[in-house]
Amino acid sequence: MTSLLTQYQDNDVVDNFALITSAEVRLTKTGKNYISLTFSDRSGDLPGNLWDASQEQINEFIQGKIVKLQGVRGAFKSQPQVQITSLRLTQAGEPNNPADFMAHAPVKTADLDAQLNDYLLMISQPTWNRLVRRLFKQYHDQFLQFPAAKKNHHAFNGGLAFHSLSIAQLAKSVSQQYPQLNADLLLAGALLHDLGKVIELSGPIATEYTLAGDLIGHITLIDEQIVLAANELHFDLNSEEMILLRHVVLAHHGLLEYGSPVRPMVMEAQVLNQLDNLDASMQMMTGAIEKTAPGSFSTRIFGLDNRRFYKTESES
Amino acid sequence: MTSLLTQYQDNDVVDNFALITSAEVRLTKTGKNYISLTFSDRSGDLPGNLWDASQEQINEFIQGKIVKLQGVRGAFKSQPQVQITSLRLTQAGEPNNPADFMAHAPVKTADLDAQLNDYLLMISQPTWNRLVRRLFKQYHDQFLQFPAAKKNHHAFNGGLAFHSLSIAQLAKSVSQQYPQLNADLLLAGALLHDLGKVIELSGPIATEYTLAGDLIGHITLIDEQIVLAANELHFDLNSEEMILLRHVVLAHHGLLEYGSPVRPMVMEAQVLNQLDNLDASMQMMTGAIEKTAPGSFSTRIFGLDNRRFYKTESES
Amino acid sequence: MTSLLTQYQDNDVVDNFALITSAEVRLTKTGKNYISLTFSDRSGDLPGNLWDASQEQINEFIQGKIVKLQGVRGAFKSQPQVQITSLRLTQAGEPNNPADFMAHAPVKTADLDAQLNDYLLMISQPTWNRLVRRLFKQYHDQFLQFPAAKKNHHAFNGGLAFHSLSIAQLAKSVSQQYPQLNADLLLAGALLHDLGKVIELSGPIATEYTLAGDLIGHITLIDEQIVLAANELHFDLNSEEMILLRHVVLAHHGLLEYGSPVRPMVMEAQVLNQLDNLDASMQMMTGAIEKTAPGSFSTRIFGLDNRRFYKTESES
Amino acid sequence: MTSLLTQYQDNDVVDNFALITSAEVRLTKTGKNYISLTFSDRSGDLPGNLWDASQEQINEFIQGKIVKLQGVRGAFKSQPQVQITSLRLTQAGEPNNPADFMAHAPVKTADLDAQLNDYLLMISQPTWNRLVRRLFKQYHDQFLQFPAAKKNHHAFNGGLAFHSLSIAQLAKSVSQQYPQLNADLLLAGALLHDLGKVIELSGPIATEYTLAGDLIGHITLIDEQIVLAANELHFDLNSEEMILLRHVVLAHHGLLEYGSPVRPMVMEAQVLNQLDNLDASMQMMTGAIEKTAPGSFSTRIFGLDNRRFYKTESES
Amino acid sequence: MTSLLTQYQDNDVVDNFALITSAEVRLTKTGKNYISLTFSDRSGDLPGNLWDASQEQINEFIQGKIVKLQGVRGAFKSQPQVQITSLRLTQAGEPNNPADFMAHAPVKTADLDAQLNDYLLMISQPTWNRLVRRLFKQYHDQFLQFPAAKKNHHAFNGGLAFHSLSIAQLAKSVSQQYPQLNADLLLAGALLHDLGKVIELSGPIATEYTLAGDLIGHITLIDEQIVLAANELHFDLNSEEMILLRHVVLAHHGLLEYGSPVRPMVMEAQVLNQLDNLDASMQMMTGAIEKTAPGSFSTRIFGLDNRRFYKTESES
Amino acid sequence: MTSLLTQYQDNDVVDNFALITSAEVRLTKTGKNYISLTFSDRSGDLPGNLWDASQEQINEFIQGKIVKLQGVRGAFKSQPQVQITSLRLTQAGEPNNPADFMAHAPVKTADLDAQLNDYLLMISQPTWNRLVRRLFKQYHDQFLQFPAAKKNHHAFNGGLAFHSLSIAQLAKSVSQQYPQLNADLLLAGALLHDLGKVIELSGPIATEYTLAGDLIGHITLIDEQIVLAANELHFDLNSEEMILLRHVVLAHHGLLEYGSPVRPMVMEAQVLNQLDNLDASMQMMTGAIEKTAPGSFSTRIFGLDNRRFYKTESES
């Protein structure tokens, strides 16, 4: 019976369908070609090398192809890998949809969509409501499918919407505990803050930064979209409500050195930044702890200052 | 009709009972004695100088005395002050309880007590429950009356308990949103994390650091109390549950440079640190915004990197 | 014979027309009103206090008024001030144009305009030429009159255009020395980089930050203007040429901690940042050295890490 | 004639008894098992790989075993290694005591014990004398055998006691030069400051951090021990002498970012921190210089900001 | 037809004369000798390994030898390398001058010499003119041949003089734009600032730091040379002109953490530092961009905070 | 009976001879002249203002004059001051030697001289011995009289020699404890390290930085002196022994950001830096603690990161 790729233990026999998510032709020290491959399914990745690769294999086994993979699970420098014993492209009648081999948000796309819409409806301030509504409509599909990052936190299909939804949920409970907050502004910021990533990143598969992503960045890109949308909706860019919304979004990284051009100077901007950090921490810690044995420490988490986290004995 | 001390505007006539919360005898440039006084009531502070002070006045008008104060509200270097026209000690039949002149948490002491008890009951893990219960009992009165700090956030009577309660409330809603958290551990940490302040600070009135506060600090002082309590309850200091609880409390400042001897290395420690920061931010921003006119910026907030916060036009 | 305000020495008799650029009513320690005034002419500022100010004087001597000032130059805490002996508003036939009392760029407005236009004509790339041309036209008057900053470098009438011109001139000579640079891109960036300050700042007199200036900042504000102009001109925001121009402008502060949302990642962005720093340093050092006696050190320059600069014996 | 493991040069024949201090089974690129071994004797370590390891060998050659090793000294990536030609477990009549194969402090255990005791006797203040005495007695054996660190300075058997003794010796001569210091307090701090390492570390062989070491840290762990000892001895935790002793120990890392919860605020705490740094520097530099050829630079020392140190031509 | 070493693509046949610029004998994992070689010509470097090297080959193929190299270009870990098929020393009649195989400044040595001399003549201040003249004469040959650094910017034959010339050229145009600068002082500083590198570095081939370079550094070494030269010329070390020249040179790294013992405190020192940075940036960016394909990013540049730079589509 | 200036308590009558160490004519807010004076004797300083100063008084009471001072000790902003009731220049027969009114090292000049000479004799390496001897001879008087700093540590007459002696004493005991140190090199560095201060500072009275002190700094100035002395003694600047001595002196500030052009890279340089810090800390702490009441905290010490230090109850 077949396991998922990341569930195998050392010396297990691997016999799976998998998606090739990276394929690089390299040279051994002694000058022979091999292909360094990453195989993926919805549980994650497993790397493996195809030694003495022929030119035909180099042409066949490229990023985006679905393959039938056979081999044995081992480890090289403490990282799991598969020793390939057989590799071929899939044939008619075998799995052929790349999307089936990608990690997904733990919520279905339709549910993400519905829940985000519910939060949108809670924004009673009309300018903010119309602006968020317009941008949600314009980027509907990308918003639901993109990851929230190339790596680190929420780097999976639907991660962007899942993360935004999480922040909206936190925003709601925090607004209830602290009524001095403007719940509408906080919620509008929560829903929009990372939407620029649909322009910054190339898409849900083999995610890369676009040129605009590298040279302009997602914070300025969402500000651009807010400005253009406000222009079309004939909103006054100099009104307090437009300045506040842009500020909350621009300042959400909290510190200039994290890429926000201004630091939070309204309460909702400060809170959005702290909720964003909280959800990112939760996601990174949860991802690392899931792969850790009880009573031991996780690998170091880059996004949390390279700290390791301890999984208690009692956690399953 | 008399206002509270901080409600007066420029040139208003002041005629109030007030508590002297600091009194310092100084010399003018030309060598005469005056007393630099701080008058307080439950709304806050108002400073004023008593010029040409006699030795009798120097003896009378000292910290902790309640006085009848008359004068005119002005400002010196943009800070409000009162020009004193008359000052005397209160007499029989006039207010004489210092506690009536101190700022209080916006929740009554009995309610704080009841709600904290409710959260204590939610800790189902028996070791943590018994430890928190014991320390709550041992420091019951101080915990309910102390401020959470000498200045900055929650620097008012009952501020320590009010802040702890706030964190407990956040801990509960965050545990519900992220079930991978150990709700008991997070809650126990929330309730205990700042309890060492009852040893670090001198008390609710004219709060100063104690010698142990200065040279040992509240984080190590609560750890000491946990160790002594565990010793009496015959808990094993080397058990995972004791190490976890101490860790969550020791790490709650998040960064070594903020005085935690270890950085968070379990999920609940990381979350407690972020919730602590969130509640402290909310309290500091709220306090500053309350004193700010709509459409303008607050004074700079030291605990938030000297940022000013903008109060929107529409806020009352 | 009358000197300019900053040319007086200790104990000189002052008898000048001057512009009041700030006026603040304060209280002495003993509770009397006085007005803390700043008098200005084109040489700079001289503060002075009007003691025992009457309500009528408080109403009359406000920011923006031109006055006849008489007194004696002294110093308080090493800062020059004037002891006022007589102060009155100007009358018919006396100077009445505030602009005559403000510091100006050392180049006439018409010359600034002509020279900036010459540099604009040197941009041969059509997209960048049309975009700069449009924004120059739209903000023509403000660009020529605004200072480059509230204080620090180029904080004088016309300072913004004068600084931009200086950078353009440096850009030209550097492009000639290093032909690998794209001279058009560097020049377009030089002309546009600080134009957002016409929205960030309130104007040439009594300059303050606007709400958009505080909460959004001049870097994002000029990006907004470029986006809107490109939209109207039907330029493609995803074209390389639009991304490059925006990048060069967005990155011109060089470091994230100085407010750029991205660091320079094309050669021209890196060079623009270094030329911007060079001209700002030159302006700050020149301003400080001008007020320094030969063979001694200037006051500390905030924008240059609080360094003092030495004026050599031989400099006049 | 046999050399010690670290004394061999390239191409020398190795024929030694050695202790296996680490053994990790790994996979070659082509999927075969090998054991990555570290062999040790009292001169230090020499790594080597056992290729094509059988299951029996994997079971035999584990950490803690003493073996007869034969091979040739070579180097891989500039690090010495041994090419193993023969490897077997020792037999009856051959060396069998692991302690004989470990690096030791350059002073015999009995001498360490005696000298530490001499310094203990110099503490004339009775509270501190009794506290140090009690903890020395309680942790006598561990204190004499543990290293002072997992790596970096004094990472050898007995290193903890040797380092403490060194500090005590420095403390004595510095107290004589500066009589304003409280020699008793400085000496008590010197003797106790690192004692928490007997709880933080797992032991003298294959030293690892314990869970309490990772999550609580040696500074808080020795404070815990002081508190418990004081409790049993019925000392008052609020007395100045107890607060001072705890402070000196808590602050000995000097900076919060190095893990002290408070910075030094009594003279003796400041001096202890500087002496601790001095002895650690001496130990790290000496260790690195010993392995360096005259007229060349050592490898980089992590604990000294990655600096290299120069060994002069004339040093032997 | 033979290409230069860095012009080959993957799988091209290599057949070149080349200079060995580094040769290191190493051990394979399985214990066999090989030589890790770097081959160079004026286009740059190409590494390659000679497997199973005999003792004779180890003796022959050493740094500084010119060889006939045959093989195939490949890549290992994304770095180009050559798989060697044949290697021999050159014979009579074949190239034998190492200087022909080194990267050079893009200006001929004689032209560098002439142009530097022209700038020297522009220094009209006699003390500075004579001092620069003397040191130029004393270190004439080294100055024209040394690189400006071991790696990073201007790390090629003649790089030191080329960089100094570039700065002189910038100094001239900046002095013209800002007449408040002392052009003589700035120029003298430009010509001398890096001359200490002829003592700090070992020479143009296989450049290493000398002992004085490591332990004293090029900034103090040029100061030493200025002091000795002034002493011989009987200049007064306490005169303002000597102090200024030394200051401008000592301060040219701008920040203490970059090795200047003082920060710039005269205008010309500040400007020299900024021009030095500008030319270094230009050189590093140009070098990286030259090796980059249009429409893609360069490798990370260590000396520019590890940033990557984008080469536009239109650049050739 | 007259006390020393710093021994008076509040309200004591002052009647002393004193040296004026600073005198600055200032303006009151209301425009009258007064002289802000600092009176000094060997115990330290006491400031006071002479109100309504006449021109004659302004001419008389200048820095360097000895006066008969009468008044009352008070405090302004917690700083002691004297309210002057009478002030006149001293007359014939009254004290007239400024040196009698300056703080001195706690060791007599002749003893400093003798002890420094003893340490010089301990340097057995001939090059270093001759170099130190020559520079000691050349700067004999200044070395014995200068302070070690304008303020902070050892800022008293003879402070430079006293501090150097202290380091030499520490160097000796540390060399004995760690025989791997080169005692000669450490001692030569200890004696020379701060000698450049005799050029950096203006002298023992009213100490200021010289121009060379500001623009070159004492570290480069002593290096200059070592270079010139070595030149005259015909020592080879490229010998290891000259490079080592210069390195130890150049690196003694430890960090580049503290003004050393190189970081310590030989053991003796590292140790000298740590001993220098230790003695500076001791001097600053001792100075602050001396003025502190038992059981309270000192004022903040700038040179120790603004920390306050606690003086124990039992210290006299």
Side-chain angles (χ1 to χ4, degrees), chain C residues 38-72:
Chain C
T38 307
F39 302 102
S40 305
D41 64 15
R42 62 189 163 83
S43 74
D45 298 339
L46 187 67
N49 293 325
L50 187 70
W51 303 106
D52 289 322
S54 67
Q55 192 57 45
E56 192 189 353
Q57 288 175 315
I58 289 172
N59 296 343
E60 262 184 351
F61 300 129
I62 56 175
Q63 183 184 299
K65 291 289 179 185
I66 301 172
V67 292
K68 174 75 170 183
L69 163 71
Q70 292 177 313
V72 181

Side-chain angles (χ1 to χ4, degrees), chain C residues 166 170 177-178 180 240 244 263-265 270 274 277-279 281 286 305 307 309-310 312-313, chain E residues 166 170 177-178 180 240 244 263-265 270 274 277-279 281 286 305 307-310 312-313:
Chain C
S166 236
L170 287 169
Q177 179 164 343
Y178 301 102
Q180 60 268 52
E240 193 188 59
L244 287 175
R263 297 204 63 190
M265 284 186 283
Q270 175 64 21
Q274 294 193 260
N277 288 343
L278 179 59
D279 189 57
S281 299
T286 302
D305 304 324
R307 268 177 288 158
F309 280 80
Y310 178 71
T312 59
E313 295 282 358
Chain E
S166 235
L170 287 168
Q177 180 164 342
Y178 301 103
Q180 60 268 51
E240 193 188 59
L244 287 174
R263 298 204 61 189
M265 286 185 282
Q270 175 64 23
Q274 294 192 261
N277 289 343
L278 179 59
D279 188 58
S281 299
T286 302
D305 304 324
R307 270 177 287 157
R308 302 170 305 142
F309 280 80
Y310 178 70
T312 58
E313 295 282 358

Side-chain angles (χ1 to χ4, degrees), chain B residues 61-190:
Chain B
F61 299 128
I62 57 176
Q63 182 185 297
K65 292 288 178 185
I66 300 173
V67 291
K68 174 74 169 182
L69 163 71
Q70 292 177 312
V72 181
R73 231 286 310 237
F76 179 59
K77 294 189 182 168
S78 333
Q79 297 298 319
Q81 66 164 19
V82 56
Q83 279 178 253
I84 302 169
T85 53
S86 158
L87 189 69
R88 64 163 173 82
L89 295 183
T90 49
Q91 304 160 344
E94 292 179 341
N96 63 0
N97 182 2
D100 296 340
F101 291 89
M102 293 190 290
H104 270 268
V107 177
K108 283 189 187 161
T109 304
D111 291 348
L112 280 175
D113 198 5
Q115 292 181 44
L116 285 165
N117 206 47
D118 288 348
Y119 281 108
L120 169 56
L121 293 173
M122 292 178 203
I123 304 175
S124 56
Q125 207 279 353
T127 303
W128 301 332
N129 181 298
R130 287 182 61 200
L131 238 157
V132 178
R133 182 180 305 275
R134 180 183 194 87
L135 290 170
F136 264 35
K137 192 169 168 194
Q138 183 171 355
Y139 293 104
H140 181 266
D141 293 0
Q142 297 101 305
F143 189 44
L144 289 173
Q145 289 164 13
F146 270 55
K150 208 182 131 184
K151 47 187 179 182
N152 292 336
H153 78 93
H154 297 88
F156 48 74
N157 206 316
L160 177 57
F162 182 65
H163 169 61
S164 303
L165 182 62
S166 237
I167 307 286
Q169 195 173 344
L170 286 169
K172 188 183 164 195
S173 64
V174 165
S175 294
Q176 283 167 345
Q177 179 164 342
Y178 301 102
Q180 61 267 52
L181 291 171
N182 183 326
D184 281 356
L185 180 56
L186 183 58
L187 193 48

Side-chain angles (χ1 to χ4, degrees), chain A residues 210-222:
Chain A
T210 61
L211 184 60
D214 266 321
L215 295 191
I216 294 180
H218 77 94
I219 287 186
T220 306
L221 288 168
I222 181 62

Side-chain angles (χ1 to χ4, degrees), chain D residues 13 34 36 118 189 220 262 281 292:
Chain D
V13 171
Y34 69 96
S36 168
D118 288 348
T220 306
V262 283
S281 299
T292 303

Side-chain angles (χ1 to χ4, degrees), chain D residues 75 83, chain E residues 25-35 51-53:
Chain D
Q83 279 178 254
Chain E
V25 180
R26 294 184 185 156
L27 214 58
T28 63
K29 276 195 177 173
T30 51
K32 291 181 185 160
N33 280 322
Y34 69 96
I35 320 179
W51 304 106
D52 290 321

Side-chain angles (χ1 to χ4, degrees), chain E:
Chain E
M1 157 101 218
T2 302
S3 297
L4 289 169
L5 285 174
T6 63
Q7 294 170 342
Y8 287 110
Q9 302 301 315
D10 251 21
N11 299 318
D12 283 358
V13 171
V14 174
D15 188 355
N16 286 54
F17 293 107
L19 176 70
I20 294 176
T21 47
S22 81
E24 206 174 324
V25 180
R26 294 184 185 156
L27 214 58
T28 63
K29 276 195 177 173
T30 51
K32 291 181 185 160
N33 280 322
Y34 69 96
I35 320 179
S36 168
L37 293 152
T38 307
F39 303 102
S40 305
D41 63 16
R42 62 190 162 81
S43 73
D45 298 337
L46 187 67
N49 293 325
L50 186 70
W51 304 106
D52 290 321
S54 66
Q55 192 57 45
E56 191 188 355
Q57 288 175 316
I58 289 173
N59 296 342
E60 263 183 349
F61 299 129
I62 58 176
Q63 183 185 296
K65 292 289 179 185
I66 301 171
V67 291
K68 174 75 169 179
L69 163 71
Q70 292 178 313
V72 182
R73 233 281 315 233
F76 179 60
K77 294 189 182 166
S78 331
Q79 297 297 318
Q81 65 164 20
V82 55
Q83 280 177 254
I84 302 169
T85 52
S86 157
L87 189 70
R88 65 165 171 79
L89 296 184
T90 49
Q91 304 159 346
E94 291 180 343
N96 64 1
N97 183 0
D100 296 340
F101 291 89
M102 293 189 292
H104 270 266
V107 177
K108 284 187 186 162
T109 304
D111 290 349
L112 280 176
D113 198 5
Q115 291 182 44
L116 285 165
N117 206 48
D118 288 348
Y119 280 107
L120 168 57
L121 292 174
M122 291 178 204
I123 305 174
S124 56
Q125 206 279 355
T127 303
W128 300 332
N129 181 298
R130 287 182 62 199
L131 238 158
V132 178
R133 183 180 305 276
R134 182 183 194 88
L135 290 170
F136 263 36
K137 194 170 165 192
Q138 185 173 352
Y139 293 104
H140 180 266
D141 293 0
Q142 297 100 307
F143 188 44
L144 290 173
Q145 288 163 13
F146 269 55
K150 212 181 127 183
K151 49 187 177 180
N152 292 339
H153 79 92
H154 297 90
F156 48 74
N157 206 316
L160 176 58
F162 182 66
H163 169 61
S164 303
L165 183 61
S166 235
I167 307 286
Q169 197 173 341
L170 287 168
K172 189 182 162 195
S173 64
V174 166
S175 294
Q176 284 168 346
Q177 180 164 342
Y178 301 103
Q180 60 268 51
L181 292 170
N182 183 326
D184 282 356
L185 181 56
L186 184 57
L187 193 48
L191 293 175
L192 283 190
H193 77 292
D194 266 356
L195 187 55
K197 289 188 171 173
V198 303
I199 306 177
E200 183 185 47
L201 299 174
S202 61
I205 308 177
T207 307
E208 296 296 337
Y209 283 92
T210 61
L211 183 62
D214 266 320
L215 295 191
I216 296 180
H218 76 95
I219 287 186
T220 306
L221 288 169
I222 180 61
D223 184 68
E224 160 205 313
Q225 291 299 310
I226 293 174
V227 163
L228 290 173
N231 197 43
E232 281 194 49
L233 292 166
H234 304 296
F235 291 162
D236 177 7
L237 281 172
N238 288 315
S239 65
E240 193 188 59
E241 61 206 23
M242 280 308 305
I243 292 174
L244 287 174
L245 180 63
R246 290 173 69 188
H247 173 74
V248 165
V249 170
L250 286 167
H252 85 267
H253 279 192
L255 292 172
L256 300 186
E257 41 274 61
Y258 294 167
S260 274
V262 283
R263 298 204 61 189
M265 286 185 282
V266 304
M267 290 204 292
E268 293 76 15
Q270 175 64 23
V271 170
L272 178 59
N273 167 244
Q274 294 192 261
L275 299 184
D276 191 22
N277 289 343
L278 179 59
D279 188 58
S281 299
M282 278 308 310
Q283 186 65 27
M284 287 186 284
M285 292 188 295
T286 302
I289 285 287
E290 271 173 4
K291 297 175 193 151
T292 302
S296 65
F297 281 86
S298 73
T299 53
R300 297 190 177 278
I301 303 179
F302 178 77
L304 287 168
D305 304 324
N306 270 322
R307 270 177 287 157
R308 302 170 305 142
F309 280 80
Y310 178 70
K311 183 170 190 166
T312 58
E313 295 282 358
S314 54
E315 288 181 65
S316 59

